Amino acid sequence: MNTGPALLCCPAAASRRGLPALLPLAVALLAAFPAVRAQQAPQGPAPAPAATAAAAPEAAVAGADADKDANARPPSARPTPQVLDVVTISASRRREPARDVPMQVSVISAEGLEKRGAKALGDFLANEPGVSIGSNGGAGVGGINLRGVTTGVDVSATVGVYVDEVQTGANGASAGGNGMFLDMGLLDLHHVEVLRGPQGTLYGASSVGGLIKYVTHTPDTTELSGKVSLGASTTSKGGTGNTIAGVLNVPLKEDVAAIRVAAYRDQVPGHIEAVGPLPGKDTDRGQSSGARISALVTPTRKLSLRFTATTQKVERDGRDFVDYAAATSQPVYGDLRHQRALSEAYHQRTDLFSAEVDYDFGWARLEAISSYQRLRSENQIDASTAYVPLLGQFGIHLDAVDVRIPLNLNRNSQELRLTSAADPRFEWLVGLYIDRERGRQTQYAESFVGGAAGPRLAYIDIPSSYREDAVFGDATWKFGGGFSLTGGLRVARNRQTYVQQSSGLLAGGDASIDAASKDTSRTYLLTGLYALDKTSNVYVRVASGYRPGGPNAVLRDINTGDPLAPPSFRPDELVSTELGLKSSLLDRSLQLEAAIFNVDWKDIQQASSVNGVSVVVNSGKARIRGAEASLSFKPSPLWSLSASASYNDAKLTQDAPGLDAKSGDRLPRTPRLSMAVKAQRNFELAGHPAYAGLSVRHVGERDAGIPGSRQLVSYRMPAYTLTDLQAGIEFGRYSLALYARNVFDRRAQLSVYPAFLPLGGNAMASVAQPRTLGATLSASF
């Protein structure tokens, strides 16, 4: 961020430097008849928490999908109420039933995602109310927010992303921390856990809004097995796509060692037509591919070792942007069209390695988790529509402006955790976490005149480092009468360095600046859980979270030596208070989860311009009040029904100068109301188990900016409703899944890239993929 990233994130501020210069609200939501059915994952014999993720059954909560076992039941079965399975999750760093975890957690099964034709994180979370995902035009994820915790253009992540026990992406704002996490795809994925609310005590920095956790399969030491899948799809007004994926599990020694290998390649069909100087059809097509190998060794009953290596590559020929007029929210150049004068290619490669060692002392379990992440990306944006008119006002006449942002990130982390054995009275957990990150972000702004290269407008090189050392722990007291109390604390020490070397008109001339910062953050957790009966609980949860502070690279006054802008910015802090209910009714065929929450956010980190210098500042406070509810209902073996809804009222309670916003303004990108409904019918077709399903999701109107702001210009994103269909049939070990996504071919604006709006440019929106029909054939052994 700081001076360099402002070239894209806050072009108005960058150009100024280079050129002359909630009311109380408690809402109870009731949605009807949700349902899902859980399935047990393949798992090895080791009970270690390192293997916990794959051992967890799939969700019987909102957002999870009906499983294959349910599909296998013939329609002749008597339609009596069915018992929904108990769901085990690892959200609290322990294996425990989801209904006993005092927070809202959604679990999304990988099998259900495959049936829907989901390929990436944006697809995975599409049916999760209260979750918003930014986009860089299909070139990576431009940030995630939960429960409205966002300023629209966040300087660092507000939602953490984990693969099993390893955090991905960057915590430091200077290394692209808001969007550099792993968008893993269906690479041997078992399920996804969505943790709502701050997770700072157990998961640390950059999880103030919540956490997304990919949970993968664990190698099975008992059985040789595998699966191969072939998929094909066609997109309306676009191209065709294909997918091939496979996984092989090989026991090396029964009950001792196994290895699991998975790989996939997904050819992405394009649907955007480029117009202007560089026209083309399906210009956003591309390919994603990846491989993963995991080895499990359990030399004794007490000792477990797991080693995993994952690599993934994402390539796109161009962006999936559609140009919309800021005033009317209507397409400027026509349906699914984007003006382009230069290439907007994108590629990213992520390598992630981890080692998990687990030893059971009996009285406690020791876990040691080490990881190494290496990320290389290059982001290319045609900035002509913004900078050509701007520079023309100053007599600099250009035909095109290209911005390229190569980014390198290397990250090492170690975590040591000691967890007490299950106990009916008292349980505890203590841990140590160490994180080391080194990033290098470079920004080039090149100009073109008459087809030839013109003057370089900016060169900004930003090497940075981030160090975190943290200790954390929690304790749970279980009292009589079904009441338990948990308290937790985390103390983290953060140190960062930042160097900026810049030159060129848009960078304010030649400069070389060093900066450093350090801060200490404390987060806490307090929960109370009361069991109404064996299947129902109520809870209160108070939790805090933080994002690390950091240095600003600023020039000094040549006369006094004083910095021209704040030399650093502080951590921002968030406290959430939540009241919730988790209940199983009607002989456990109906599950209800609901919560109301209040979030207070202070010292909000914002990009701003001080004396013409683009920096990050702390200013403004916000309050978010809302409610969530989900129901799951399985009235018979034939039917699974589900629904979920989220309401958010997110407003500033103090002026935020960095956003050019006033107290009372709504926070960007967050709809007041969003909801999802799903129904699935199981039946028999020609003697084979089959299913058919329908899912509908609705997202209310949002504003990509703030009305009246010149920094984050208002752009109204219309409400939308999308409908998907699924169907499938099984032939022994073979299965065929059919899907239709966006059945009514709606042009839903999912997110908006706002960087050029302050300069009078168009809104560049990522729209829902047009109607797509697809099929996947799988064979298991």
Side-chain angles (χ1 to χ4, degrees):
M1 201 33 108
N2 304 336
T3 308
L7 183 61
L8 291 180
C9 298
C10 189
S15 62
R16 281 197 300 272
R17 181 185 173 190
L19 297 170
L22 194 89
L23 293 173
L25 177 65
V27 180
L29 296 179
L30 183 62
F33 304 128
V36 281
R37 174 83 177 161
Q39 171 187 353
Q40 192 72 22
Q43 56 181 315
T52 297
E58 296 181 5
V61 295
D65 296 274
D67 72 359
K68 183 162 57 179
D69 292 342
N71 297 335
R73 293 188 177 94
S76 58
R78 186 165 58 94
T80 56
Q82 301 296 295
V83 174
L84 290 164
D85 291 350
V86 175
V87 183
T88 303
I89 60 174
S90 58
S92 60
R93 298 291 178 96
R94 297 180 178 90
R95 290 184 60 183
E96 55 187 331
R99 68 165 179 257
D100 293 340
V101 178
M103 75 173 92
Q104 293 294 300
V105 183
S106 300
V107 185
I108 311 166
S109 73
E111 183 179 3
L113 293 171
E114 291 174 352
K115 292 176 180 179
R116 286 164 37 195
K119 303 292 181 62
L121 187 59
D123 302 328
F124 298 172
L125 302 179
N127 288 343
E128 288 296 308
V131 181
S132 174
I133 299 180
S135 173
N136 289 327
V141 176
I144 310 171
N145 81 73
L146 280 162
R147 290 185 170 176
V149 182
T150 179
T151 60
V153 180
D154 297 304
V155 299
S156 58
T158 63
V159 175
V161 178
Y162 273 66
V163 178
D164 295 324
E165 298 300 312
V166 175
Q167 187 181 14
T168 71
N171 282 317
S174 306
N178 192 37
M180 291 296 105
F181 48 80
L182 180 60
D183 186 359
M184 196 171 69
L186 291 170
L187 188 55
D188 203 23
L189 186 65
H190 179 261
H191 71 266
V192 180
E193 296 179 8
V194 182
L195 286 61
R196 300 170 187 265
Q199 308 295 324
T201 303
L202 289 181
Y203 291 96
S206 304
S207 60
V208 292
L211 187 126
I212 309 297
K213 193 171 187 178
Y214 298 104
V215 180
T216 64
H217 287 273
T218 300
D220 184 351
T221 62
T222 63
E223 183 180 26
L224 176 68
S225 61
K227 181 179 179 179
V228 176
S229 299
L230 300 173
S233 66
T234 180
T235 298
S236 174
K237 299 185 179 181
T240 60
N242 60 79
T243 305
I244 181 170
V247 60
L248 178 65
N249 185 93
V250 181
L252 303 178
K253 185 176 181 180
E254 187 173 0
D255 295 335
V256 176
I259 191 168
R260 190 175 179 93
V261 181
Y264 85 104
R265 187 197 67 195
D266 178 36
Q267 195 71 35
V268 179
H271 58 272
I272 298 299
E273 179 183 356
V275 298
L278 189 62
K281 295 283 290 183
D282 304 335
T283 55
D284 56 323
R285 60 185 176 271
Q287 178 177 288
S288 299
S289 58
R292 180 178 174 88
I293 182 169
S294 183
L296 177 68
V297 182
T298 56
T300 71
R301 295 182 60 185
K302 294 185 176 183
L303 178 64
S304 169
L305 303 95
R306 185 182 180 188
F307 306 95
T308 303
T310 302
T311 183
Q312 180 168 283
K313 190 174 183 180
V314 177
E315 297 175 300
R316 297 292 183 268
D317 294 343
R319 305 302 181 112
D320 68 359
F321 289 138
V322 177
D323 293 70
Y324 283 84
T328 65
S329 300
Q330 296 298 313
V332 177
Y333 305 106
D335 187 33
L336 299 176
R337 289 186 171 185
H338 171 53
Q339 186 181 41
R340 188 180 69 167
L342 300 166
S343 171
E344 293 186 311
Y346 170 84
H347 69 265
Q348 176 177 300
R349 175 168 177 167
T350 303
D351 301 310
L352 182 64
F353 308 91
S354 64
E356 304 175 29
V357 181
D358 182 286
Y359 189 81
D360 187 359
F361 291 101
W363 56 273
R365 184 179 299 278
L366 179 67
E367 299 166 83
I369 303 125
S370 298
S371 72
Y372 171 68
Q373 175 187 342
R374 180 176 60 213
L375 183 146
R376 303 290 184 267
S377 75
E378 181 158 343
N379 205 349
Q380 193 168 349
I381 297 176
D382 178 6
S384 304
T385 57
Y387 283 110
V388 168
L390 173 69
L391 295 172
Q393 297 176 19
F394 298 92
I396 305 171
H397 300 291
L398 306 171
D399 293 333
V401 175
D402 172 58
V403 175
R404 290 183 295 115
I405 309 176
L407 189 146
N408 296 335
L409 173 66
N410 294 278
R411 177 177 183 176
N412 293 278
S413 67
Q414 291 80 38
E415 183 169 351
L416 195 65
R417 197 164 64 230
L418 190 64
T419 307
S420 69
D423 187 89
R425 294 292 183 184
F426 180 71
E427 296 177 351
W428 51 266
L429 177 154
V430 295
L432 170 68
Y433 180 75
I434 300 171
D435 182 22
R436 301 291 185 264
E437 302 174 15
R438 288 195 173 274
R440 185 170 201 137
Q441 180 179 173
T442 307
Q443 297 189 8
Y444 303 87
E446 311 281 2
S447 68
F448 297 87
V449 181
R456 173 171 285 180
L457 300 176
Y459 167 80
I460 306 172
D461 187 30
I462 310 172
S464 61
S465 70
Y466 174 91
R467 297 165 55 100
E468 177 183 345
D469 301 283
V471 293
F472 62 93
D474 66 26
T476 299
W477 293 265
K478 301 178 181 180
F479 304 96
F483 178 70
S484 63
L485 182 68
T486 298
L489 179 67
R490 185 185 191 102
V491 180
R493 179 72 167 172
N494 305 300
R495 298 176 178 86
Q496 298 186 59
T497 64
Y498 178 106
V499 177
Q500 179 172 303
Q501 298 176 332
S502 57
S503 62
L505 180 66
L506 295 179
D510 294 346
S512 180
I513 311 168
D514 295 348
S517 70
K518 59 183 179 179
D519 56 70
T520 300
S521 297
R522 296 172 179 83
T523 56
Y524 60 86
L525 170 71
L526 182 63
T527 66
L529 180 72
Y530 178 70
L532 300 173
D533 53 38
K534 292 183 178 180
T535 61
S536 300
N537 300 311
V538 293
Y539 68 87
V540 176
R541 182 177 192 262
V542 180
S544 68
Y546 76 99
R547 293 187 297 175
N552 284 314
V554 297
L555 297 171
R556 294 182 177 272
D557 187 285
I558 58 175
N559 296 316
T560 67
D562 295 332
L564 296 176
S568 64
F569 56 97
R570 303 184 305 278
D572 57 359
E573 300 175 357
L574 181 149
V575 177
S576 172
T577 304
E578 179 178 332
L579 174 64
L581 165 70
K582 297 185 177 186
S583 182
S584 296
L585 307 169
L586 303 179
D587 295 327
R588 290 190 293 170
S589 65
L590 173 67
Q591 290 188 355
L592 166 66
E593 296 194 14
I596 57 175
F597 57 86
N598 178 86
V599 174
D600 290 308
W601 191 8
K602 68 177 183 178
D603 292 332
I604 301 175
Q605 297 174 1
Q606 308 156 28
S608 185
S609 179
V610 180
N611 294 323
V613 179
S614 185
V615 293
V616 179
V617 299
N618 299 90
S619 65
K621 297 180 180 179
R623 173 171 292 170
I624 306 166
R625 289 178 170 174
E628 298 161 343
S630 65
L631 291 98
S632 304
F633 186 41
K634 191 167 185 64
S636 77
L638 308 182
W639 284 99
S640 294
L641 308 168
S642 68
S644 55
S646 173
Y647 179 89
N648 278 283
D649 186 26
K651 294 181 179 179
L652 289 168
T653 57
Q654 185 184 73
D655 291 355
L659 302 176
D660 195 18
K662 304 296 184 182
S663 177
D665 287 340
R666 286 186 54 79
L667 293 178
R669 285 177 47 184
T670 302
R672 289 184 183 272
L673 181 65
S674 56
M675 60 185 69
V677 179
K678 179 182 175 184
Q680 180 168 302
R681 176 69 156 82
N682 304 313
F683 55 94
E684 190 174 277
L685 182 62
H688 298 284
Y691 67 91
L694 165 76
S695 59
V696 180
R697 64 184 183 272
H698 172 81
V699 175
E701 184 183 69
R702 299 136 293 149
D703 197 322
I706 295 175
S709 172
R710 293 162 296 176
Q711 300 293 325
L712 200 57
V713 174
S714 174
Y715 174 78
R716 293 285 181 177
M717 303 167 63
Y720 65 83
T721 301
L722 297 178
T723 303
D724 300 335
L725 298 174
Q726 307 90 35
I729 188 170
E730 295 183 11
F731 306 90
R733 58 192 181 95
Y734 298 95
S735 64
L736 176 65
L738 308 173
Y739 58 88
R741 303 183 62 191
N742 193 3
V743 173
F744 299 106
D745 204 22
R746 306 298 190 193
R747 297 293 180 261
Q749 298 183 36
L750 304 181
S751 67
V752 168
Y753 186 75
F756 301 143
L757 283 170
L759 300 177
N762 297 322
M764 296 186 292
S766 293
V767 302
Q769 189 175 39
R771 183 190 299 114
T772 298
L773 307 178
T776 303
L777 178 64
S778 300
S780 302
F781 61 89

